Amino acid sequence: MKQRQNNLDRLRVLAMLLIVFHHYGVHSDWSNIPSASWERICLNILSPFGKVGVSYFILISGYFMSRSHLTSKKIWNLMQYVRKYSLLIAGLFFILGYHLDYISMWSYFLPTIFQVYWFFTYYVILQFLIPVIRPWLRQTDRSIQAKLILLFVAINYIPRILGVGLKVPNAYYPNEALAFLSIALLGHLIFIYQLKFKKYLPIFGVLSLISVFIMFQQHYFIENYPWSFDPSMNDFYFSLTGLNSLTMLVFSVSTFILVLYLPNWPAKFPKLNQLMFGVYLVHDHPLMREWLWKKLIHNELLFPHYKRFILASLITPLIVFLLSILAVYVIDILGIKIWLLCETKLKKLNKANYLS
């Protein structure tokens, strides 16, 4: 069990790295890159896995769902943690001379409610749902759980696919909160059946390869499939970039199961996974995102020198990832130590003044 825990800790780090590469690909300005070029191929390889990274975080939450002890206080502390980063970054940009209007300040003050961070809004909703679902998970037979969970996932993914493929209007379409819940329940299903899954690892390996192949051949499938699909809905079928994508779901779940059984090795940075939420809050704040990918990094200078472009596309997100880890470490680790040190000195000073 400890080996699987260590593997999931490392998966959190990999998931956040995938998210950073995805943000580099989708938030930078690539308007001057032709569709048929080495640069576009490079981006198509590096950037599609952001929602896979998000899915890994949700699967991990679902994996520990039945054993977690979430309370309203813990959820409140998570919301406060998000708000701390939101206000800290907004305050930094205000000091640097950025104009922040009244509406923006309200959103940064209440980031979970106003979706300053898309992921955390739905992640917090999921945390509220877990304590409600947990008693049912503990009391219900495993086989019944499996049937109901798989039926719930099918209801969330299949109707829209059939509706678009058969051109039936008003087909059911799950919102993102239900997508989060579906993925989390699959994580719980992996937990209760993980020992049985071990003998099917080759099958999950094949599923992960097939899903990646489909993703990279998505244009061929869309153009040549006998049904007339709505191009705006291709995320549901062939892409890894949509949270409701069937391809993304198959890839995420199959690779998640494979990661559980990877060989264990000594962890050189055992607490690194604890900083990953902070990395998301630092680099994907709306103000930071706009400044980071469009003003600090001038991507247009890299085109059309594709060798330089490919090298920069590999190194730039990695540097942002490492600098974000450093920023989170300073804020979360050193900041707390400095606060406690100041608090201790203030108490000693007050005590000395009282005695005098």
Side-chain angles (χ1 to χ4, degrees), residues 9-21 49-50 52-57 60 276 321:
D9 287 342
R10 295 180 178 91
L11 184 61
R12 286 190 181 95
V13 180
L14 174 63
M16 188 52 61
L17 186 59
L18 292 175
I19 290 171
V20 174
F21 270 91
F49 295 91
V52 173
V54 170
S55 182
Y56 285 150
F57 277 105
I60 292 171
M276 292 303 104
F321 178 71

PDB file of all heavy atoms in Angstrom, residues 9-21 49-50 52-57 60 276 321:
ATOM      1  N   ASP A   9       1.827   9.951  -5.082  1.00  0.00           N
ATOM      2  CA  ASP A   9       2.480  11.232  -4.759  1.00  0.00           C
ATOM      3  C   ASP A   9       3.268  11.743  -5.958  1.00  0.00           C
ATOM      4  O   ASP A   9       3.240  12.939  -6.279  1.00  0.00           O
ATOM      5  CB  ASP A   9       3.419  11.063  -3.554  1.00  0.00           C
ATOM      6  CG  ASP A   9       2.659  10.901  -2.248  1.00  0.00           C
ATOM      7  OD1 ASP A   9       1.449  11.248  -2.213  1.00  0.00           O
ATOM      8  OD2 ASP A   9       3.258  10.438  -1.262  1.00  0.00           O
ATOM      9  N   ARG A  10       3.960  10.837  -6.622  1.00  0.00           N
ATOM     10  CA  ARG A  10       4.718  11.240  -7.809  1.00  0.00           C
ATOM     11  C   ARG A  10       3.786  11.591  -8.968  1.00  0.00           C
ATOM     12  O   ARG A  10       4.100  12.450  -9.792  1.00  0.00           O
ATOM     13  CB  ARG A  10       5.670  10.114  -8.220  1.00  0.00           C
ATOM     14  CG  ARG A  10       6.752   9.840  -7.179  1.00  0.00           C
ATOM     15  CD  ARG A  10       7.674   8.714  -7.604  1.00  0.00           C
ATOM     16  NE  ARG A  10       8.712   8.512  -6.609  1.00  0.00           N
ATOM     17  CZ  ARG A  10       8.617   7.664  -5.583  1.00  0.00           C
ATOM     18  NH1 ARG A  10       7.528   6.934  -5.443  1.00  0.00           N
ATOM     19  NH2 ARG A  10       9.586   7.542  -4.708  1.00  0.00           N
ATOM     20  N   LEU A  11       2.635  10.911  -9.011  1.00  0.00           N
ATOM     21  CA  LEU A  11       1.669  11.206 -10.068  1.00  0.00           C
ATOM     22  C   LEU A  11       1.128  12.623  -9.928  1.00  0.00           C
ATOM     23  O   LEU A  11       0.841  13.283 -10.933  1.00  0.00           O
ATOM     24  CB  LEU A  11       0.522  10.194 -10.036  1.00  0.00           C
ATOM     25  CG  LEU A  11      -0.521  10.326 -11.144  1.00  0.00           C
ATOM     26  CD1 LEU A  11       0.120  10.133 -12.519  1.00  0.00           C
ATOM     27  CD2 LEU A  11      -1.655   9.333 -10.950  1.00  0.00           C
ATOM     28  N   ARG A  12       0.964  13.116  -8.700  1.00  0.00           N
ATOM     29  CA  ARG A  12       0.530  14.507  -8.490  1.00  0.00           C
ATOM     30  C   ARG A  12       1.510  15.484  -9.132  1.00  0.00           C
ATOM     31  O   ARG A  12       1.102  16.465  -9.748  1.00  0.00           O
ATOM     32  CB  ARG A  12       0.410  14.814  -6.992  1.00  0.00           C
ATOM     33  CG  ARG A  12      -0.793  14.212  -6.301  1.00  0.00           C
ATOM     34  CD  ARG A  12      -0.927  14.787  -4.909  1.00  0.00           C
ATOM     35  NE  ARG A  12      -2.054  14.227  -4.195  1.00  0.00           N
ATOM     36  CZ  ARG A  12      -1.987  13.200  -3.364  1.00  0.00           C
ATOM     37  NH1 ARG A  12      -0.804  12.611  -3.153  1.00  0.00           N
ATOM     38  NH2 ARG A  12      -3.050  12.752  -2.736  1.00  0.00           N
ATOM     39  N   VAL A  13       2.800  15.205  -8.969  1.00  0.00           N
ATOM     40  CA  VAL A  13       3.831  16.074  -9.555  1.00  0.00           C
ATOM     41  C   VAL A  13       3.760  16.026 -11.073  1.00  0.00           C
ATOM     42  O   VAL A  13       3.790  17.060 -11.751  1.00  0.00           O
ATOM     43  CB  VAL A  13       5.230  15.661  -9.054  1.00  0.00           C
ATOM     44  CG1 VAL A  13       6.300  16.558  -9.673  1.00  0.00           C
ATOM     45  CG2 VAL A  13       5.298  15.733  -7.534  1.00  0.00           C
ATOM     46  N   LEU A  14       3.661  14.822 -11.619  1.00  0.00           N
ATOM     47  CA  LEU A  14       3.548  14.675 -13.078  1.00  0.00           C
ATOM     48  C   LEU A  14       2.286  15.358 -13.591  1.00  0.00           C
ATOM     49  O   LEU A  14       2.315  16.018 -14.640  1.00  0.00           O
ATOM     50  CB  LEU A  14       3.527  13.194 -13.454  1.00  0.00           C
ATOM     51  CG  LEU A  14       3.259  12.878 -14.924  1.00  0.00           C
ATOM     52  CD1 LEU A  14       4.364  13.453 -15.809  1.00  0.00           C
ATOM     53  CD2 LEU A  14       3.121  11.376 -15.151  1.00  0.00           C
ATOM     54  N   ALA A  15       1.164  15.208 -12.869  1.00  0.00           N
ATOM     55  CA  ALA A  15      -0.101  15.817 -13.288  1.00  0.00           C
ATOM     56  C   ALA A  15       0.025  17.327 -13.380  1.00  0.00           C
ATOM     57  O   ALA A  15      -0.445  17.943 -14.343  1.00  0.00           O
ATOM     58  CB  ALA A  15      -1.216  15.435 -12.315  1.00  0.00           C
ATOM     59  N   MET A  16       0.671  17.943 -12.401  1.00  0.00           N
ATOM     60  CA  MET A  16       0.812  19.394 -12.437  1.00  0.00           C
ATOM     61  C   MET A  16       1.758  19.825 -13.551  1.00  0.00           C
ATOM     62  O   MET A  16       1.548  20.874 -14.182  1.00  0.00           O
ATOM     63  CB  MET A  16       1.307  19.907 -11.079  1.00  0.00           C
ATOM     64  CG  MET A  16       1.298  21.421 -10.950  1.00  0.00           C
ATOM     65  SD  MET A  16      -0.291  22.184 -11.390  1.00  0.00           S
ATOM     66  CE  MET A  16      -1.381  21.430 -10.177  1.00  0.00           C
ATOM     67  N   LEU A  17       2.782  19.038 -13.812  1.00  0.00           N
ATOM     68  CA  LEU A  17       3.684  19.359 -14.919  1.00  0.00           C
ATOM     69  C   LEU A  17       2.931  19.310 -16.248  1.00  0.00           C
ATOM     70  O   LEU A  17       3.110  20.179 -17.114  1.00  0.00           O
ATOM     71  CB  LEU A  17       4.854  18.382 -14.937  1.00  0.00           C
ATOM     72  CG  LEU A  17       5.974  18.659 -15.946  1.00  0.00           C
ATOM     73  CD1 LEU A  17       6.590  20.029 -15.716  1.00  0.00           C
ATOM     74  CD2 LEU A  17       7.046  17.579 -15.861  1.00  0.00           C
ATOM     75  N   LEU A  18       2.044  18.322 -16.415  1.00  0.00           N
ATOM     76  CA  LEU A  18       1.216  18.239 -17.620  1.00  0.00           C
ATOM     77  C   LEU A  18       0.316  19.463 -17.749  1.00  0.00           C
ATOM     78  O   LEU A  18       0.113  19.992 -18.850  1.00  0.00           O
ATOM     79  CB  LEU A  18       0.367  16.969 -17.584  1.00  0.00           C
ATOM     80  CG  LEU A  18       1.095  15.628 -17.707  1.00  0.00           C
ATOM     81  CD1 LEU A  18       0.120  14.474 -17.522  1.00  0.00           C
ATOM     82  CD2 LEU A  18       1.819  15.513 -19.045  1.00  0.00           C
ATOM     83  N   ILE A  19      -0.222  19.920 -16.629  1.00  0.00           N
ATOM     84  CA  ILE A  19      -1.110  21.089 -16.634  1.00  0.00           C
ATOM     85  C   ILE A  19      -0.342  22.345 -17.042  1.00  0.00           C
ATOM     86  O   ILE A  19      -0.838  23.177 -17.814  1.00  0.00           O
ATOM     87  CB  ILE A  19      -1.769  21.262 -15.256  1.00  0.00           C
ATOM     88  CG1 ILE A  19      -2.777  20.129 -15.019  1.00  0.00           C
ATOM     89  CG2 ILE A  19      -2.467  22.616 -15.143  1.00  0.00           C
ATOM     90  CD1 ILE A  19      -3.337  20.075 -13.609  1.00  0.00           C
ATOM     91  N   VAL A  20       0.892  22.492 -16.551  1.00  0.00           N
ATOM     92  CA  VAL A  20       1.705  23.665 -16.915  1.00  0.00           C
ATOM     93  C   VAL A  20       2.014  23.657 -18.411  1.00  0.00           C
ATOM     94  O   VAL A  20       1.900  24.686 -19.086  1.00  0.00           O
ATOM     95  CB  VAL A  20       3.013  23.702 -16.088  1.00  0.00           C
ATOM     96  CG1 VAL A  20       3.913  24.836 -16.579  1.00  0.00           C
ATOM     97  CG2 VAL A  20       2.702  23.894 -14.607  1.00  0.00           C
ATOM     98  N   PHE A  21       2.381  22.494 -18.949  1.00  0.00           N
ATOM     99  CA  PHE A  21       2.637  22.400 -20.392  1.00  0.00           C
ATOM    100  C   PHE A  21       1.374  22.715 -21.186  1.00  0.00           C
ATOM    101  O   PHE A  21       1.423  23.377 -22.228  1.00  0.00           O
ATOM    102  CB  PHE A  21       3.144  20.999 -20.748  1.00  0.00           C
ATOM    103  CG  PHE A  21       4.635  20.863 -20.678  1.00  0.00           C
ATOM    104  CD1 PHE A  21       5.260  20.467 -19.505  1.00  0.00           C
ATOM    105  CD2 PHE A  21       5.420  21.152 -21.774  1.00  0.00           C
ATOM    106  CE1 PHE A  21       6.636  20.352 -19.436  1.00  0.00           C
ATOM    107  CE2 PHE A  21       6.798  21.043 -21.729  1.00  0.00           C
ATOM    108  CZ  PHE A  21       7.415  20.639 -20.543  1.00  0.00           C
ATOM    109  N   PHE A  49      -2.483  17.448 -22.788  1.00  0.00           N
ATOM    110  CA  PHE A  49      -2.647  16.587 -21.622  1.00  0.00           C
ATOM    111  C   PHE A  49      -3.040  17.328 -20.339  1.00  0.00           C
ATOM    112  O   PHE A  49      -2.961  16.762 -19.250  1.00  0.00           O
ATOM    113  CB  PHE A  49      -1.356  15.793 -21.387  1.00  0.00           C
ATOM    114  CG  PHE A  49      -1.039  14.821 -22.486  1.00  0.00           C
ATOM    115  CD1 PHE A  49      -0.255  15.199 -23.562  1.00  0.00           C
ATOM    116  CD2 PHE A  49      -1.550  13.544 -22.468  1.00  0.00           C
ATOM    117  CE1 PHE A  49       0.031  14.306 -24.587  1.00  0.00           C
ATOM    118  CE2 PHE A  49      -1.281  12.643 -23.482  1.00  0.00           C
ATOM    119  CZ  PHE A  49      -0.481  13.024 -24.549  1.00  0.00           C
ATOM    120  N   GLY A  50      -3.467  18.576 -20.448  1.00  0.00           N
ATOM    121  CA  GLY A  50      -3.838  19.331 -19.256  1.00  0.00           C
ATOM    122  C   GLY A  50      -5.020  18.731 -18.521  1.00  0.00           C
ATOM    123  O   GLY A  50      -5.010  18.594 -17.292  1.00  0.00           O
ATOM    124  N   VAL A  52      -5.960  15.713 -18.685  1.00  0.00           N
ATOM    125  CA  VAL A  52      -5.507  14.442 -18.129  1.00  0.00           C
ATOM    126  C   VAL A  52      -4.900  14.677 -16.745  1.00  0.00           C
ATOM    127  O   VAL A  52      -5.163  13.926 -15.795  1.00  0.00           O
ATOM    128  CB  VAL A  52      -4.475  13.768 -19.056  1.00  0.00           C
ATOM    129  CG1 VAL A  52      -3.866  12.533 -18.401  1.00  0.00           C
ATOM    130  CG2 VAL A  52      -5.122  13.392 -20.381  1.00  0.00           C
ATOM    131  N   GLY A  53      -4.095  15.741 -16.618  1.00  0.00           N
ATOM    132  CA  GLY A  53      -3.526  16.095 -15.316  1.00  0.00           C
ATOM    133  C   GLY A  53      -4.611  16.393 -14.293  1.00  0.00           C
ATOM    134  O   GLY A  53      -4.540  15.951 -13.141  1.00  0.00           O
ATOM    135  N   VAL A  54      -5.640  17.152 -14.706  1.00  0.00           N
ATOM    136  CA  VAL A  54      -6.770  17.440 -13.821  1.00  0.00           C
ATOM    137  C   VAL A  54      -7.460  16.141 -13.420  1.00  0.00           C
ATOM    138  O   VAL A  54      -7.812  15.929 -12.256  1.00  0.00           O
ATOM    139  CB  VAL A  54      -7.765  18.392 -14.515  1.00  0.00           C
ATOM    140  CG1 VAL A  54      -9.064  18.500 -13.717  1.00  0.00           C
ATOM    141  CG2 VAL A  54      -7.148  19.782 -14.685  1.00  0.00           C
ATOM    142  N   SER A  55      -7.643  15.254 -14.398  1.00  0.00           N
ATOM    143  CA  SER A  55      -8.293  13.969 -14.128  1.00  0.00           C
ATOM    144  C   SER A  55      -7.500  13.158 -13.112  1.00  0.00           C
ATOM    145  O   SER A  55      -8.092  12.487 -12.245  1.00  0.00           O
ATOM    146  CB  SER A  55      -8.451  13.188 -15.434  1.00  0.00           C
ATOM    147  OG  SER A  55      -9.110  11.970 -15.215  1.00  0.00           O
ATOM    148  N   TYR A  56      -6.174  13.206 -13.175  1.00  0.00           N
ATOM    149  CA  TYR A  56      -5.354  12.480 -12.198  1.00  0.00           C
ATOM    150  C   TYR A  56      -5.627  12.982 -10.778  1.00  0.00           C
ATOM    151  O   TYR A  56      -5.743  12.182  -9.837  1.00  0.00           O
ATOM    152  CB  TYR A  56      -3.868  12.632 -12.526  1.00  0.00           C
ATOM    153  CG  TYR A  56      -3.392  11.823 -13.701  1.00  0.00           C
ATOM    154  CD1 TYR A  56      -2.341  12.269 -14.495  1.00  0.00           C
ATOM    155  CD2 TYR A  56      -3.986  10.612 -14.026  1.00  0.00           C
ATOM    156  CE1 TYR A  56      -1.892  11.532 -15.578  1.00  0.00           C
ATOM    157  CE2 TYR A  56      -3.545   9.862 -15.110  1.00  0.00           C
ATOM    158  CZ  TYR A  56      -2.495  10.339 -15.885  1.00  0.00           C
ATOM    159  OH  TYR A  56      -2.059   9.593 -16.964  1.00  0.00           O
ATOM    160  N   PHE A  57      -5.710  14.295 -10.605  1.00  0.00           N
ATOM    161  CA  PHE A  57      -6.001  14.850  -9.274  1.00  0.00           C
ATOM    162  C   PHE A  57      -7.357  14.364  -8.763  1.00  0.00           C
ATOM    163  O   PHE A  57      -7.517  14.026  -7.586  1.00  0.00           O
ATOM    164  CB  PHE A  57      -5.975  16.377  -9.311  1.00  0.00           C
ATOM    165  CG  PHE A  57      -4.595  16.966  -9.187  1.00  0.00           C
ATOM    166  CD1 PHE A  57      -3.957  17.492 -10.292  1.00  0.00           C
ATOM    167  CD2 PHE A  57      -3.937  16.985  -7.967  1.00  0.00           C
ATOM    168  CE1 PHE A  57      -2.685  18.029 -10.193  1.00  0.00           C
ATOM    169  CE2 PHE A  57      -2.662  17.518  -7.845  1.00  0.00           C
ATOM    170  CZ  PHE A  57      -2.033  18.045  -8.969  1.00  0.00           C
ATOM    171  N   ILE A  60      -7.216  10.646  -7.815  1.00  0.00           N
ATOM    172  CA  ILE A  60      -6.548  10.467  -6.523  1.00  0.00           C
ATOM    173  C   ILE A  60      -7.509  10.776  -5.376  1.00  0.00           C
ATOM    174  O   ILE A  60      -7.566  10.049  -4.375  1.00  0.00           O
ATOM    175  CB  ILE A  60      -5.289  11.345  -6.442  1.00  0.00           C
ATOM    176  CG1 ILE A  60      -4.219  10.831  -7.421  1.00  0.00           C
ATOM    177  CG2 ILE A  60      -4.724  11.378  -5.021  1.00  0.00           C
ATOM    178  CD1 ILE A  60      -3.029  11.741  -7.593  1.00  0.00           C
ATOM    179  N   MET A 276       1.921  21.028  -4.975  1.00  0.00           N
ATOM    180  CA  MET A 276       1.385  21.080  -6.337  1.00  0.00           C
ATOM    181  C   MET A 276       0.139  21.962  -6.452  1.00  0.00           C
ATOM    182  O   MET A 276      -0.042  22.644  -7.464  1.00  0.00           O
ATOM    183  CB  MET A 276       1.087  19.673  -6.850  1.00  0.00           C
ATOM    184  CG  MET A 276       2.335  18.831  -7.088  1.00  0.00           C
ATOM    185  SD  MET A 276       3.497  19.603  -8.261  1.00  0.00           S
ATOM    186  CE  MET A 276       4.756  20.222  -7.146  1.00  0.00           C
ATOM    187  N   PHE A 321       7.381  25.830 -14.149  1.00  0.00           N
ATOM    188  CA  PHE A 321       7.027  24.841 -13.131  1.00  0.00           C
ATOM    189  C   PHE A 321       7.967  24.921 -11.928  1.00  0.00           C
ATOM    190  O   PHE A 321       7.523  24.969 -10.772  1.00  0.00           O
ATOM    191  CB  PHE A 321       7.070  23.457 -13.765  1.00  0.00           C
ATOM    192  CG  PHE A 321       6.770  22.319 -12.830  1.00  0.00           C
ATOM    193  CD1 PHE A 321       5.484  22.117 -12.350  1.00  0.00           C
ATOM    194  CD2 PHE A 321       7.782  21.448 -12.450  1.00  0.00           C
ATOM    195  CE1 PHE A 321       5.208  21.059 -11.493  1.00  0.00           C
ATOM    196  CE2 PHE A 321       7.515  20.379 -11.599  1.00  0.00           C
ATOM    197  CZ  PHE A 321       6.224  20.191 -11.117  1.00  0.00           C
TER     198      PHE A 321
END
